Amino acid sequence: VEKIKILESEINEYKRECEILTEKLKLETVKSEQAIKEMQHKLEWNKLDHEKSQQLITKLEFELNHMKNSPNYIEYKALLIKLEKIEKRGNQRERELESSYLKLLQTNDDLEEKMTKKYDSIITTKNQQIKSLQNELSVLMTAFEKI
């Protein structure tokens, strides 16, 4: 009889533990269900936000394509291309001008050097002629003084 009472007591203890665990399990189940519902709600909001974003992207792409095909944009692109060509030609002309200028400077330096040599040669010749004439004059003056 006592063994039965002990067993019944153990059984009752196990039943209480089972009831407590069952309650905990129910509580965790309710919490999990709430978390799942909350996540589903967030997922729905994210889907709505994604759809709104997609609609906005579609609208903006349409507007962008419309703008790209507008006369003003086409004219702007044409002018931009012309401007780039003008800038390239300007840069090329600037390089050509710089090259011509450097050639001119070199030619001018060469010409100046030739002219300097030529005139130095002429001056040297004239100086020699002057000295020769001075010598002749000196000889004549000496001869004239003797007379």
Side-chain angles (χ1 to χ4, degrees):
V1 173
E2 249 183 64
K3 236 182 179 188
I4 293 178
K5 283 186 181 181
I6 292 175
L7 287 175
E8 284 178 348
S9 168
E10 282 180 18
I11 291 173
N12 285 336
E13 182 64 31
Y14 287 134
K15 282 183 180 179
R16 270 185 265 129
E17 283 179 21
C18 282
E19 287 174 0
I20 290 172
L21 288 175
T22 303
E23 284 299 314
K24 283 183 179 180
L25 184 62
K26 285 180 183 177
L27 251 167
E28 289 299 316
T29 303
V30 168
K31 284 182 182 177
S32 295
E33 287 173 351
Q34 286 177 346
I36 289 171
K37 284 181 183 178
E38 186 177 324
M39 292 302 280
Q40 286 175 336
H41 183 71
K42 286 181 180 179
L43 181 62
E44 288 299 317
W45 274 107
N46 283 342
K47 284 181 182 178
L48 287 173
D49 282 346
H50 180 72
E51 287 175 14
K52 286 180 183 177
S53 296
Q54 284 300 112
Q55 289 174 353
L56 182 60
I57 288 171
T58 303
K59 178 185 172 192
L60 291 174
E61 285 175 343
F62 174 78
E63 288 178 6
L64 180 62
N65 286 333
H66 179 71
M67 291 297 240
K68 282 184 176 179
N69 293 319
S70 72
N72 288 341
Y73 183 78
I74 293 170
E75 184 179 353
Y76 166 75
K77 285 300 267 184
L79 290 174
L80 195 59
I81 290 169
K82 286 180 183 178
L83 180 62
E84 287 172 357
K85 286 180 182 177
I86 289 171
E87 286 176 346
K88 284 180 184 177
R89 275 187 296 184
N91 289 337
Q92 182 181 1
R93 286 180 181 166
E94 187 175 331
R95 286 190 301 273
E96 289 171 359
L97 182 60
E98 186 175 325
S99 174
S100 296
Y101 179 70
L102 291 174
K103 285 179 185 176
L104 180 63
L105 285 178
Q106 184 61 44
T107 303
N108 190 35
D109 287 346
D110 292 347
L111 185 59
E112 186 177 323
E113 187 177 330
K114 283 181 184 178
M115 295 300 286
T116 302
K117 284 180 182 178
K118 179 181 175 185
Y119 288 119
D120 281 347
S121 173
I122 291 172
I123 290 172
T124 302
T125 304
K126 294 296 178 186
N127 280 340
Q128 288 172 353
Q129 288 174 354
I130 291 171
K131 281 190 179 191
S132 175
L133 288 173
Q134 281 177 340
N135 287 340
E136 276 184 48
L137 185 61
S138 178
V139 168
L140 287 175
M141 288 296 280
T142 306
F144 187 68
E145 284 178 5
K146 287 182 181 178
I147 302 185

